Structure formats: C-alpha cells, structure tokens
C-alpha cells in the first residue's frame, strides 16, 4: 500500500504529541521545510507494489501498436500490477529474437531503457490473438510507459505505442 504523509498529517501528529506531553513541553515543528519534503520522498520510495494487486497508477492505461513491420497490429492494456493484456494481436512470426519490450518514451534499446517481457515471439504467427504478458515484478511498471514488438538482434521495433 502506498502511503504519503502530507504536511498537515505531520503537523497534526506533532500537535497530538504536544497535547499528550503536557503544557511545559516544547516541540519544534517543520511544517514545510526540507525535512518534511525528504520524509515524503522517503515514504514514496518505500511504497512497494505487489503482483496480484491493481493499485499501481498505470493500471487501466491502454496503447495501440503502430504497424511498422511484419504486420504487427493490436492494442494492450495494463490489467494489474504485473499483467499487460495484448488484444487483437497480429504478427507474421518473422524476424529473429523478437519479444515484447517495455521502455520509456519509445526507447526500447537494450543499452537504454528497454527490457524484454515474456517469451520469444518469433516463429509464431498471431492473428487476432489475446496474450497476457507477465512482468517479473510490479516494479517493472515504473520502468515503462510503452510497449514494443522488438527485434533484439537488430534493435528495431516492428510496432510500438505509449500507454495513455
């Protein structure tokens, strides 16, 4: 579960602590400075999304594949923290070392933001198929905003799109 404390929550906790300590106690409160901002950042970093849940902000986003090569077409939707459902998927099965790849802003290269998701696709013809592509961890959703049918041998996309 992701928890983010607001400045008001921190202030309320300090006031309640002061009230329970008696009137002679002095409490120094930083209601908006760098300490509270650092605490908020630390709380965000501790947020841990789990497979089987659907609480990641990307859940529900969809994309449509561009058709660049090998008759790739279809769409995809993020179903839960570890599942991307590819629907009405078409691919002629050609090309070596072809996978679904996740990436940021169209960068699917192995030496950039790109990474393989699921099994190799080449050699199998898809015609209007639905495929559930499983992420190895929910943290991978933070590392992608797009999906590609990617040829790793030639560093080229056969079709891709960004989740909106």
């Amino acid at each position: 579960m992701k928890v983010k404390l607001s400045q008001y929550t921190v202030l309320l906790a300090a006031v309640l602590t002061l009230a329970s300590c008696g009137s002679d106690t002095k409490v120094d409160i930083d209601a908006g400075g760098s300490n509270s901002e650092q605490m908020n950042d630390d709380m965000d970093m501790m947020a841990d999304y789990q497979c089987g849940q659907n609480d990641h902000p990307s859940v529900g986003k969809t994309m449509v594949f561009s058709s660049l090569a090998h008759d790739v077409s279809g769409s995809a939707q993020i179903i839960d923290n570890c599942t991307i459902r590819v629907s009405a998927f078409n691919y002629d099965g050609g090309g070596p070392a072809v996978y679904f790849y996740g990436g940021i802003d169209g960068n699917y290269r192995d030496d950039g933001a790109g990474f393989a998701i699921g099994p190799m696709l080449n050699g199998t013809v898809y015609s209007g198929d639905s495929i559930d592509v499983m992420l190895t961890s929910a943290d991978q959703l933070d590392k992608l905003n797009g999906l590609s049918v990617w040829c790793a041998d030639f560093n080229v996309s056969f079709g891709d799109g960004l989740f909106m």
Side-chain angles (χ1 to χ4, degrees), residues 39-137:
M39 186 172 71
N40 286 342
D41 290 343
D42 291 345
M43 292 300 289
D44 282 343
M45 290 175 67
M46 289 190 290
D48 189 24
Y49 298 106
Q50 302 293 322
C51 289
Q53 303 293 317
N54 63 359
D55 55 347
H56 191 281
S58 294
V59 171
K61 291 185 177 184
T62 61
M63 56 79 69
V64 175
F65 286 102
S66 61
S67 296
L68 301 174
H70 292 279
D71 299 326
V72 168
S73 64
S75 62
Q77 181 177 18
I78 300 171
I79 301 299
D80 63 34
N81 293 359
C82 291
T83 309
I84 299 173
R85 180 162 296 141
V86 178
S87 301
F89 182 59
N90 295 297
Y91 167 57
D92 69 7
V98 178
Y99 298 86
F100 287 112
Y101 258 57
I104 299 291
D105 297 335
N107 182 359
Y108 302 105
R109 298 179 68 87
D110 284 326
D111 60 355
F115 59 96
I117 305 170
M120 192 179 297
L121 299 174
N122 52 294
T124 303
V125 175
Y126 295 89
S127 181
D129 294 315
S130 289
I131 304 164
D132 281 350
V133 181
M134 304 305 295
L135 303 175
T136 57
S137 74

Side-chain angles (χ1 to χ4, degrees), residues 144-161:
L144 66 83
N145 69 355
L147 190 66
S148 174
V149 177
W150 185 258
C151 178
D153 282 355
F154 292 100
N155 282 317
V156 65
S157 179
F158 293 163
D160 57 64

